[in-house]
């Protein structure tokens, strides 16, 4: 059972199964892992959009994405806190890494 049927260049997130073309179509990512999988494409798309579209207020996809990144960030922080309280330390370490990655992305975008 290989997934060779589709485009061989198609990347997809193996956690939520969002593919690169899904992302291009919707501008939405499915989970934190997507930000790692599509990091390069994400940066390229954002640069392209910011470079060509100078109409402020006409970037619903980017705004939606920013909002999603921020709410994901908040969610991860809450989850980490909960994991700490419940003594799930390996999960906590994993969340710390995810938060760190996401935080870097948010800082890069000037969102935090
Ligand atoms: Zn995903």
């Amino acid at each position: 059972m290989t997934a060779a049927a589709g485009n061989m260049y198609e990347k997809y997130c193996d956690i939520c199964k969002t593919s690169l073309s899904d992302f291009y179509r919707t501008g939405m990512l499915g989970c934190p892992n997507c930000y790692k999988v599509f990091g390069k494409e994400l940066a390229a798309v954002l640069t392209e959009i910011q470079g060509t579209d100078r109409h402020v207020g006409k970037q619903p996809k980017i705004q939606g994405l920013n909002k999603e990144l921020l709410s994901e960030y908040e969610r991860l922080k809450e989850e980490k806190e909960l994991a700490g309280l419940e003594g799930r330390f390996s999960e906590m370490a994993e969340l710390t890494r995810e938060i760190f990655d996401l935080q870097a992305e948010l800082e890069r975008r000037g969102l935090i």
Side-chain angles (χ1 to χ4, degrees):
M1 258 216 344
T2 54
N7 183 342
M8 66 182 290
Y9 298 111
E10 179 92 320
K11 272 206 244 179
Y12 72 95
C13 170
D14 52 22
I15 294 185
C16 71
K17 312 296 180 200
T18 294
S19 69
L20 190 55
S21 55
D22 287 337
F23 164 61
Y24 283 144
R25 201 170 54 239
T26 63
M28 307 273 276
L29 295 174
C31 75
N33 187 57
C34 290
Y35 299 110
K36 292 175 202 164
V37 179
F38 305 129
K40 252 192 276 176
E41 289 80 2
L42 207 58
V45 168
L46 294 175
T47 308
E48 195 180 316
I49 292 173
Q50 282 161 359
T52 55
D53 186 356
R54 303 217 167 88
H55 301 279
V56 179
K58 286 192 78 181
Q59 300 181 356
K61 282 187 181 178
I62 296 307
Q63 280 166 5
L65 202 57
N66 283 346
K67 224 174 102 185
E68 242 188 280
L69 282 167
L70 279 169
S71 66
E72 184 61 23
Y73 180 63
E74 292 305 319
R75 195 185 64 77
L76 287 174
K77 283 200 298 189
E78 276 170 29
E79 238 177 73
K80 183 188 156 186
E81 204 176 325
L82 192 65
L85 287 171
E86 294 178 358
R88 288 176 280 130
F89 295 116
S90 64
E91 200 172 318
M92 209 181 151
E94 173 64 26
L95 286 163
T96 301
R97 272 196 301 275
E98 284 185 25
I99 290 168
F100 185 80
D101 285 351
L102 197 50
Q103 195 172 331
E105 177 63 22
L106 289 168
E107 279 171 8
R108 208 170 60 77
R109 291 165 179 241
L111 295 174
I112 54 174

